[in-house]
Amino acid sequence: MLLPIFIIIPFMGGILCWLFDRYGIKISHYIALVLMSIVLMLSISLLFYDLTLVSTNTNKSYWNFEYEVSWIKRFGIMFHLAADGFSILMLILTSILGIISILCSWDTVEDRIGLFYLNLLWILSFSIGIFLSIDLFLFFLFWEMIIFPVYFSIIFWGHRINDARTCLKRYAAANKFFMYSQCSGLILLFSILYLVYSYYASNHILSFNYDLLRSIKLNDFSESCIMLGFFLAFAIKVPIFPFHGWFAEFHTYSPISGALDISSILLKTSVYALLRFNIVLFPNSSSRFAYVFMLLGVITIFYASFVAFSQTDIKRLIAYTSISHTGFILIAIYSANQIAYQGIIIQTIAYAFSTAALYSLVGQLFQYTHTRNMKQMGGLWSNICWIPGFSMFFAAANLGMPGTGNFVGEFMILLGTFNNNVLLSSIVSFSLIISALCSLIMIQRTYFGYSFQYTCKHFIRRISRREMFISISLLVMLILIGLYPNIILNMSESPINNIRTVFSNFILTTRS
Amino acid sequence: MIITAKQLIALSPIFILVLTVVIIMLLIAYDRDHFFTFLCSITGLTFTLLSLYIIRKDIPIDITVLFHIDKYSLLYISMIVLSSIFSCIFSYSYLKKILYNCEEYYLLLLFSTIGCISLIIANHMSIIFIGMELISLPALGLIAYAYFKKNSLEAAFKYMILSGAVSVLALFGIALIYSITGSLTLSSVIYELVTSISSPDNILLCGLGLVILAFSFKLSMFPFHIWTPDVYNGTISIVLTYLSTATKIAVFSLFFKIFIFLTSFNVEFFRTSLEAILCLSIIFGNFMAFFQTSIKRFLGYSSISQFGYFSVSLLSSNDFHFSLEVVGVCLIGYLLSSIGIFGLISIVSSLNNESKSDSITFYRGLFWSNPIFSSIMTIMLLSLSGIPMTIGFIGKFYILSLIVKENFWFLGIIFLIGSIIGMYSYLKIITCLYLKPLDSNSEMIHLNSSHRNHIIFLFIISLIVLLLGVYPNIVIDIASTSEPILFNIIS
């Protein structure tokens, strides 16, 4: 009964925020904050449960927690949630980012606050659903449902300039996101059904259960088809090079406070899904296509960093650099190397933190300068307290400076892939130069140089304690992961290793 | 031929409706009272619904050779009666504005409902023909009911001429069938076909082809859809609530009952023609819906593609029960969401100038003036486009399962393309609801008390749509237990 609570609390909390909105201005802020803190504490408490459970129980199934209720009997669909260390880590990450995004939107969201928090909490609730659901139908349901709160929050609270043209563009961006996600959803649904009916054809059991479907034996052609379907669906959401069309627009027009970008945790859902479903369900065909996907990853890394380099909008720049980081993750996933797999987890978490921090800083900067265009900024270093310094740190973290979690992740991925693919990993390591250049450009154009507009001393603004808290907590976490990554590695080792062994067995057999 | 009391009771849905019609006629002759007529027809329809509960124990039953009632018919009759009840409710406040002759409207509606019911329980080609005419002639009156409106007469003419021509062809088809089988009961026609699988008679195939043509005209499937957008455009929205749900569901239920066997017994001719028709309907309907600026035309085109999707169920090779569920779930979903969306449009059009409230731009920024209204509309549109958590999605899920199960890869691709285009066109309307309203479009939808009741109705329907989307077991149970007895005869 513990697992559904993680989905129900934010879901009901969203409705509460919306209902109690009328009784006070700040009330929904506090409701959202308190509920997400409860979720965070509960998800951290799972870790302690975990240890005791493993020691007492030589568990038959490898899930640490499981919850199962019959749902649609006709298709053998269950309301089936389960969690292992990997899911729990993602759960913790989601709730931390959730709290930060609530804090980010504390002052900046002015109209219909209750509805805003409804959307925000539902995004969190559904992404937690994605991380926990093990029934493929349930997974698909959350995968599709998350589109709506995101869509509505862009439409209602998106980047707003009082100009009819940008308004229409915002709608266009929201529609683009919706359509891309729908395409991804339909492809996913097709592949899931194909998988389920193939299983039905051989075993005469109609079930969407992940644990059952893992054991399926398919012929090469249909396995490749289904695998490509899954991959395509996830690749659109990650996003990977040819399918990234919606991503930059999405970030340009998403709400100013950066709340939504931070909960771009929904990008992490597809990394999770690639690992959890694509690799484990179809190890055979994944290993056959591994080179293609790794190549796609390399293209993504270089393409995204080059495009990022030419951006003038800070937010777009950050968005493109985060696309390039997903390229690293993609390479690591298909390398089937143990060290690289550990790196994925670190990379995912560290980049979630560093980009979240950058987005929140951009949001704060926007309040001050009312622009995101780097050409109109410059010379801000001496005019604002704290923000430039934090930006400097997080930009450095983003380019993978030693001592931060990002370095650990990138290093482990490169080290791991070097073992089985020397050429690719050496090519990829050159991309670090470009990403360093991107970060430097961002800092240099924004904070240094001569400023025409903001030279007056009275612009100096002290950032609030809330903003300080956001930045410092993220900073501390990044350094903590950077200096002592074992906190995460210990937790993720066994589940991620389970996933890897399924896959690497096939890689070994196909290569030898 | 002796008709037992049991058989008479089994026919009670029709008798009750006929009785209601007679009472309304007498009422009109005596004194025109709109409210009383309305009440009378609602009561009649409710009693019809209740009578289904009574005859539930006696089925399956044959009533002479003409009718046959089984669980399958009960499900579809109840769907049709529900749709009639809702169209009556929504019509009332609109008709109140027309100061004269609003009582005959209910008369026509009830006549058409009788036609629908007789079509569903028909077991004989003659009843099929009579039923189809009994649907379309009163429907003609309904389409032309607001004859003072622009396009209304045009729509009626178009419908009359085309439907007349198609009826004649259908009659010719029935005659051809009779010339081969010597009998017009459905079972004998099917028997004839099944026994001559290897080399079916060409004349019989021609006859059945003409009957298919008539059916696909009524369902507005691709090459016979020409009337749909224009008729939808010219008809007042309260009539559309009925026209797009009840008549189509009745025709489709019969279509399904007859033709599921033909495609499954590998009569290649039907299979290919049906496949072509439905693929083209899906693509064409969705594609044309995308370009529409009038919401009624849009719904007309989208209904073309909807019935294209539903017809996929006819292609199943041997698992009839699964197709049965597909059709049941899909049609229940379609019924609920269509009632919802047309109900909303009819509320808007009864408050505003009808021709103006047709255009999609009229709905621009509706959310800002009337959030509940636009959220209901969003839910209905999402359900029609098949988004998760709505009953529409369960239907889509069923159709996709069927496609995957039977390995129709080509159809799958068509479905994918069609639903992506469709999604975009639905999204266009949904986005429109949330745009900032134009300055010229400042009039808001103020609801008076009677409309508030309608909104409560529609709110409940939208809740049902969501609930059934989350917990579809009830619908699945209903759909899977209501199988036509014909299934057993064949298998």
Side-chain angles (χ1 to χ4, degrees):
Chain A
M1 196 52 218
L2 195 58
L3 293 179
I5 287 178
F6 288 106
I7 299 166
I8 292 168
I9 289 181
F11 187 83
M12 296 311 288
I15 296 172
L16 282 182
C17 284
W18 179 54
L19 290 178
F20 285 102
D21 185 28
R22 65 194 67 175
Y23 299 116
I25 300 167
K26 280 283 173 216
I27 196 156
S28 35
H29 291 108
Y30 286 109
I31 294 176
L33 190 63
V34 168
L35 287 178
M36 280 320 289
S37 316
I38 292 172
V39 171
L40 177 63
M41 280 188 281
L42 278 176
S43 51
I44 289 175
S45 77
L46 282 187
L47 294 175
F48 299 105
Y49 262 105
D50 190 0
L51 295 172
T52 54
L53 200 100
V54 170
S55 58
T56 55
N57 188 8
T58 51
N59 47 344
K60 282 161 267 144
S61 74
Y62 55 95
W63 303 109
N64 298 113
F65 301 93
E66 225 173 335
Y67 179 80
E68 199 171 356
V69 176
S70 171
W71 184 15
I72 304 173
K73 283 207 191 68
R74 178 67 183 79
F75 290 100
I77 294 168
M78 307 281 229
F79 190 82
H80 189 178
L81 303 174
D84 56 5
F86 185 27
S87 328
I88 295 171
L89 271 178
M90 286 296 162
L91 198 62
I92 295 173
L93 179 66
T94 312
S95 30
I96 289 175
L97 290 183
I99 290 175
I100 286 167
S101 51
I102 289 166
L103 287 176
C104 267
S105 46
W106 200 264
D107 289 333
T108 43
V109 177
E110 279 137 9
D111 53 342
R112 279 159 300 150
I113 301 167
L115 208 57
F116 178 81
Y117 280 108
L118 175 87
N119 283 307
L120 189 59
L121 286 180
W122 279 15
I123 292 172
L124 295 171
S125 159
F126 295 145
S127 42
I128 290 174
I130 291 175
F131 291 134
L132 292 182
S133 51
I134 283 308
D135 189 280
L136 287 183
F137 184 84
L138 192 64
F139 172 78
F140 170 77
L141 206 72
F142 285 124
W143 185 262
E144 282 274 277
M145 287 313 295
I146 204 168
I147 300 170
F148 295 99
V150 175
Y151 175 77
F152 282 114
S153 32
I154 298 181
I155 279 196
F156 289 143
W157 297 276
H159 181 44
R160 189 164 296 163
I161 299 169
N162 295 329
D163 168 10
R165 252 184 77 239
T166 39
C167 188
L168 280 179
K169 271 189 183 167
R170 191 172 83 228
Y171 284 96
N175 284 354
K176 210 172 186 178
F177 165 74
F178 191 92
M179 288 317 294
Y180 267 95
S181 314
Q182 275 301 320
C183 292
S184 127
L186 270 175
I187 294 167
L188 185 63
L189 184 60
F190 245 112
S191 324
I192 289 175
L193 281 172
Y194 191 1
L195 182 67
V196 167
Y197 278 101
S198 314
Y199 188 77
Y200 179 70
S202 55
N203 298 29
H204 292 283
I205 300 169
L206 200 55
S207 168
F208 285 71
N209 193 336
Y210 171 79
D211 292 330
L212 282 180
L213 292 173
R214 278 173 62 133
S215 62
I216 190 171
K217 296 276 179 297
L218 291 165
N219 60 1
D220 283 354
F221 175 71
S222 41
E223 191 183 328
S224 305
C225 278
I226 305 174
M227 194 275 297
L228 283 177
F230 271 80
F231 181 79
L232 202 62
F234 299 145
I236 289 173
K237 275 282 188 69
V238 170
I240 287 165
F241 162 60
F243 315 108
H244 66 284
W246 58 277
F247 193 71
E249 299 280 296
F250 173 81
H251 279 283
T252 315
Y253 295 103
S254 59
I256 272 304
S257 62
L260 197 67
D261 308 298
I262 290 168
S263 36
S264 63
I265 182 68
L266 75 119
L267 305 184
K268 307 290 175 284
T269 56
S270 38
V271 171
Y272 170 86
L274 273 176
L275 275 172
R276 178 73 86 207
F277 295 105
N278 229 19
I279 298 293
V280 177
L281 290 175
F282 322 105
N284 185 15
S285 49
S286 294
S287 63
R288 234 177 304 131
F289 281 88
Y291 281 111
V292 182
F293 295 152
M294 283 167 89
L295 205 64
L296 263 182
V298 175
I299 294 171
T300 308
I301 292 174
F302 280 97
Y303 171 83
S305 359
F306 277 122
V307 177
F309 187 62
S310 62
Q311 296 302 315
T312 52
D313 186 320
I314 304 185
K315 236 176 153 181
R316 279 178 91 106
L317 194 151
I318 301 168
Y320 275 113
T321 50
S322 73
I323 294 184
S324 94
H325 296 316
T326 57
F328 273 98
I329 294 173
L330 192 69
I331 291 173
I333 289 175
Y334 286 96
S335 70
N337 183 287
Q338 191 173 2
I339 301 172
Y341 263 58
Q342 297 281 12
I344 293 170
I345 306 286
I346 303 271
Q347 171 97 345
T348 311
I349 293 173
Y351 274 101
F353 287 149
S354 69
T355 43
L358 282 174
Y359 279 131
S360 88
L361 288 170
V362 170
Q364 293 167 23
L365 207 59
F366 183 84
Q367 285 187 338
Y368 174 67
T369 59
H370 297 288
T371 180
R372 285 189 332 219
N373 193 339
M374 286 191 292
K375 281 182 183 162
Q376 293 171 17
M377 294 187 204
L380 292 178
W381 184 273
S382 50
N383 290 330
I384 322 173
C385 298
W386 292 105
I387 294 180
F390 280 128
S391 305
M392 192 84 154
F393 172 78
F394 287 115
N398 214 20
L399 64 86
M401 194 179 67
T404 58
N406 309 47
F407 171 73
V408 180
E410 231 155 59
F411 178 74
M412 287 177 85
I413 287 175
L414 286 176
L415 189 69
T417 45
F418 193 81
N419 280 333
N420 64 8
N421 204 327
V422 179
L423 184 67
L424 268 186
S425 58
S426 28
I427 293 173
V428 163
S429 39
F430 279 101
S431 78
L432 294 178
I433 300 173
I434 309 170
S435 76
L437 213 54
C438 287
S439 302
L440 288 183
I441 283 278
M442 180 176 79
I443 294 298
Q444 193 262 328
R445 283 201 192 151
T446 319
Y447 297 111
F448 295 103
Y450 182 69
S451 146
F452 294 97
Q453 285 165 302
Y454 307 107
T455 42
C456 303
K457 280 286 177 195
H458 68 264
F459 272 123
I460 290 174
R461 188 188 122 192
R462 297 220 154 265
I463 63 173
S464 67
R465 261 181 294 179
R466 175 180 57 84
E467 286 161 343
M468 194 74 135
F469 173 74
I470 295 172
S471 302
I472 287 185
S473 57
L474 287 172
L475 187 147
V476 168
M477 278 188 276
L478 274 180
I479 291 181
L480 197 66
I481 298 171
L483 296 184
Y484 192 69
N486 285 13
I487 325 167
I488 292 171
L489 295 181
N490 289 343
M491 263 185 257
S492 64
E493 194 183 353
S494 74
I496 204 83
N497 222 15
N498 284 341
I499 292 172
R500 192 192 63 83
T501 41
V502 172
F503 185 39
S504 63
N505 289 342
F506 278 92
I507 288 261
L508 289 177
T509 50
T510 46
R511 276 191 196 150
S512 55
Chain B
M1 193 178 293
I2 299 162
I3 297 183
T4 60
K6 222 178 195 179
Q7 289 172 327
L8 274 180
I9 291 171
L11 269 185
S12 58
I14 289 185
F15 287 141
I16 293 172
L17 283 179
V18 170
L19 193 69
T20 322
V21 164
V22 171
I23 292 172
I24 291 176
M25 276 184 187
L26 290 175
L27 270 176
I28 292 172
Y30 176 67
D31 179 24
R32 281 180 181 276
D33 183 348
H34 183 195
F35 179 70
F36 203 67
T37 319
F38 166 73
L39 213 61
C40 193
S41 43
I42 289 281
T43 326
L45 286 167
T46 319
F47 274 120
T48 317
L49 210 54
L50 292 178
S51 72
L52 293 179
Y53 186 75
I54 296 164
I55 63 176
R56 182 179 53 107
K57 292 175 207 113
D58 297 336
I59 53 167
I61 190 167
D62 274 313
I63 302 143
T64 70
V65 284
L66 298 180
F67 297 111
H68 174 84
I69 300 181
D70 46 29
K71 276 189 176 168
Y72 180 78
S73 348
L74 286 195
L75 172 65
Y76 290 96
I77 292 174
S78 52
M79 277 159 77
I80 279 158
V81 173
L82 267 181
S83 126
S84 308
I85 289 177
F86 276 105
S87 1
C88 278
I89 292 172
F90 294 131
S91 309
Y92 178 67
S93 51
Y94 182 86
L95 289 172
K96 258 202 305 199
K97 284 205 312 188
I98 307 173
L99 293 174
Y100 47 92
N101 295 350
C102 36
E103 288 80 6
E104 281 86 346
Y105 178 89
Y106 300 99
L107 213 57
L108 292 172
L109 195 79
L110 291 178
F111 268 126
S112 187
T113 311
I114 295 172
C116 288
I117 292 177
S118 57
L119 196 62
I120 288 171
I121 61 178
N123 193 29
H124 197 267
M125 284 297 194
S126 69
I127 293 294
I128 291 176
F129 181 74
I130 292 170
M132 292 232 281
E133 288 307 289
L134 199 52
I135 291 172
S136 54
L137 289 177
L140 194 58
L142 289 175
I143 290 169
Y145 207 79
Y147 57 87
F148 40 84
K149 291 269 197 286
K150 209 175 124 194
N151 293 336
S152 178
L153 285 180
E154 182 202 335
F157 263 104
K158 230 169 211 166
Y159 189 74
M160 184 176 78
I161 291 167
L162 285 173
S163 132
V166 166
S167 301
V168 170
L169 287 179
L171 202 56
F172 182 53
I174 291 171
L176 286 180
I177 291 168
Y178 184 67
S179 72
I180 297 301
T181 58
S183 157
L184 282 176
T185 52
L186 288 186
S187 43
S188 68
V189 173
I190 290 167
Y191 180 77
E192 186 72 25
L193 264 168
V194 170
T195 47
S196 62
I197 295 169
S198 50
S199 58
D201 193 279
N202 278 336
I203 295 177
L204 185 63
L205 287 186
C206 265
L208 279 168
L210 287 172
V211 176
I212 287 193
L213 188 149
F215 280 133
S216 36
F217 172 83
K218 297 280 175 203
L219 295 175
S220 57
M221 304 275 276
F222 172 65
F224 318 108
H225 68 280
I226 320 251
W227 61 279
T228 314
D230 291 329
V231 169
Y232 270 62
N233 198 24
T235 313
I236 41 178
S237 32
I238 45 171
V239 178
L240 279 182
T241 319
Y242 176 78
L243 205 65
S244 67
T245 54
T247 60
K248 287 194 170 175
I249 287 173
V251 173
F252 193 81
S253 74
L254 187 68
F255 192 51
F256 176 76
K257 198 161 76 176
I258 300 176
F259 288 101
I260 180 92
F261 298 108
L262 300 187
T263 45
S264 63
F265 282 103
N266 260 334
V267 183
E268 205 54 41
F269 166 69
F270 289 110
R271 210 184 166 79
T272 33
S273 58
L274 201 70
E275 260 170 31
I277 285 176
L278 74 91
C279 286
L280 288 170
S281 309
I282 291 172
I283 293 290
F284 183 82
N286 281 320
F287 188 69
M288 288 304 284
F290 179 70
F291 297 104
Q292 299 310 312
T293 51
S294 147
I295 193 153
K296 281 185 193 164
R297 286 184 85 93
F298 168 81
L299 288 169
Y301 277 114
S302 89
S303 83
I304 295 174
S305 57
Q306 295 280 343
F307 278 93
Y309 294 144
F310 300 163
S311 309
V312 174
S313 60
L314 291 165
L315 295 175
S316 139
S317 59
N318 44 28
D319 193 354
F320 298 144
H321 287 274
F322 194 74
S323 318
L324 190 75
E325 280 175 43
V326 174
V327 172
V329 172
C330 284
L331 286 183
I332 291 172
Y334 175 75
L335 174 79
L336 288 174
S337 16
S338 300
I339 286 179
I341 191 87
F342 283 112
L344 286 172
I345 295 173
S346 65
I347 290 175
V348 174
S349 60
S350 75
L351 288 165
N352 296 282
N353 184 357
E354 171 105 19
S355 58
K356 200 173 150 201
S357 60
D358 277 354
S359 73
I360 290 174
T361 44
F362 180 85
Y363 294 88
R364 185 174 165 153
L366 192 65
F367 178 80
W368 309 98
S369 55
N370 203 331
I372 292 179
F373 193 97
S374 60
S375 359
I376 295 173
M377 192 153 174
T378 311
I379 291 171
M380 295 304 170
L381 286 171
L382 290 180
S383 171
L384 276 177
S385 62
I387 299 279
M389 302 273 264
T390 58
I391 177 74
F393 170 69
I394 305 294
K396 201 164 119 182
F397 182 73
Y398 257 107
I399 294 169
L400 258 176
S401 317
L402 187 77
I403 289 175
V404 172
K405 199 174 159 198
E406 305 277 333
N407 291 327
F408 297 142
W409 294 121
F410 179 68
L411 250 180
I413 292 165
I414 295 283
F415 186 90
L416 205 69
I417 295 169
S419 52
I420 285 171
I421 301 172
M423 202 80 77
Y424 196 70
S425 38
Y426 283 108
L427 189 65
K428 220 175 65 175
I429 300 184
I430 294 172
T431 320
C432 204
L433 291 173
Y434 296 96
L435 280 171
K436 274 268 178 263
L438 294 173
D439 295 335
S440 58
N441 192 13
S442 57
E443 77 233 73
M444 301 189 178
I445 298 171
H446 293 295
L447 302 173
N448 57 31
S449 60
S450 72
H451 289 115
R452 219 159 265 144
N453 295 337
H454 292 178
I455 287 288
I456 290 168
F457 264 122
L458 290 171
F459 187 70
I460 292 168
I461 292 179
S462 65
L463 279 186
I464 292 172
V465 164
L466 288 181
L467 273 179
L468 291 181
V470 179
Y471 195 76
N473 287 354
I474 309 162
V475 183
I476 293 173
D477 282 345
I478 292 173
S480 61
T481 51
S482 65
E483 56 186 281
I485 202 76
L486 270 176
F487 275 26
N488 300 335
I489 296 172
I490 298 301
S491 54

